[in-house]
Amino acid sequence: MTVPRLEPMAPDDIPAVIAIEQAAYTTGWPTTAFERELTVNALARYLVVRPATPVEAGGHPLVAFGGLWLMVDQAHIVTIAVHPDHQRRGYGRLVLHGLVELAAASAMQSVTLEVRVSNHAARALYRTYGFYEVGLRKRYYADNHEDAIIMTTEPLDSPAYRQRLARLRAELDARFPAGYIARHLEAARPA
């Protein structure tokens, strides 16, 4: 079985990341923003999902990506996107899981994010990972002035959350070959 690879984002991945973002969102970040994130922002960590072969992914060199900032004791997920041609295959969940595990391995206390009020699928995925709603940012999104829901996790080092993450990891290991998640997350962890 050939499987996709979860890897740290490299500067060479930026054109493919921009293509995913343009396909997935009405507005997105400029190329220079991703360049700054990878080269200047010491707090940033980004992951990509590379298909086993571009042929399997319809010629796309990447199918998903996501990023977070490690700020003091809290991680903040700044973006997750899956190419529309590859949604509903577990890639968004794979990226989210990788980001949460990176946060936990970096001794972050919790993870926060903002999500569109209308993005019910993403909100459901985040709830699966123990995110709960803590606030609202009115007119947050520039493209249509939609509100954003602020979501956060309970403490990542709590026994309940560690148990949840272990269960979710086992589910991903069942979907992908055993050890897949562990091998690829080790490569993405901060030094």
Side-chain angles (χ1 to χ4, degrees):
M1 174 181 175
T2 57
V3 296
R5 297 184 315 272
L6 182 66
E7 301 175 349
M9 185 190 296
D12 290 347
D13 294 325
I14 292 173
V17 164
I18 294 295
I20 292 170
E21 188 156 271
Q22 288 174 347
Y25 300 126
T26 56
T27 60
W29 291 8
T31 302
T32 55
F34 285 108
E35 290 168 354
R36 280 192 308 276
E37 287 289 278
L38 294 182
T39 60
V40 178
N41 186 352
L43 305 176
R45 302 290 184 277
Y46 282 79
L47 299 175
V48 296
V49 177
R50 194 174 308 285
T53 67
V55 171
E56 290 177 21
H60 300 131
L62 300 176
V63 293
F65 74 94
L68 56 67
W69 295 340
L70 304 173
M71 303 182 306
V72 187
D73 65 350
Q74 187 175 66
H76 182 76
I77 293 177
V78 293
T79 188
I80 294 178
V82 178
H83 193 286
D85 293 347
H86 302 284
Q87 292 176 352
R88 311 300 258 168
R89 297 182 190 178
Y91 299 134
R93 180 175 176 178
L94 186 59
V95 170
L96 176 62
H97 190 95
L99 294 174
V100 171
E101 284 212 15
L102 279 173
S106 300
M108 298 291 109
Q109 290 297 307
S110 62
V111 182
T112 64
L113 55 79
E114 290 94 10
V115 60
R116 288 178 186 268
V117 169
S118 64
N119 194 341
H120 300 288
R123 290 169 58 191
L125 175 62
Y126 300 145
R127 281 192 296 274
T128 300
Y129 274 82
F131 285 82
Y132 58 95
E133 297 178 12
V134 294
L136 187 72
R137 296 195 196 283
K138 293 295 227 177
R139 303 175 55 81
Y140 182 75
Y141 292 97
D143 62 338
N144 66 356
H145 304 293
E146 184 175 356
D147 295 345
I149 294 173
I150 304 166
M151 300 181 82
T152 193
T153 63
E154 65 184 279
L156 298 178
D157 63 354
S158 72
Y161 198 83
R162 285 195 315 260
Q163 202 170 40
R164 176 191 294 266
L165 198 56
R167 178 180 51 78
L168 293 167
R169 185 180 195 158
E171 289 174 8
L172 280 172
D173 280 340
R175 184 172 191 160
F176 298 104
Y180 170 79
I181 300 295
R183 285 193 315 273
H184 292 284
L185 283 177
E186 284 302 317
R189 286 203 169 103

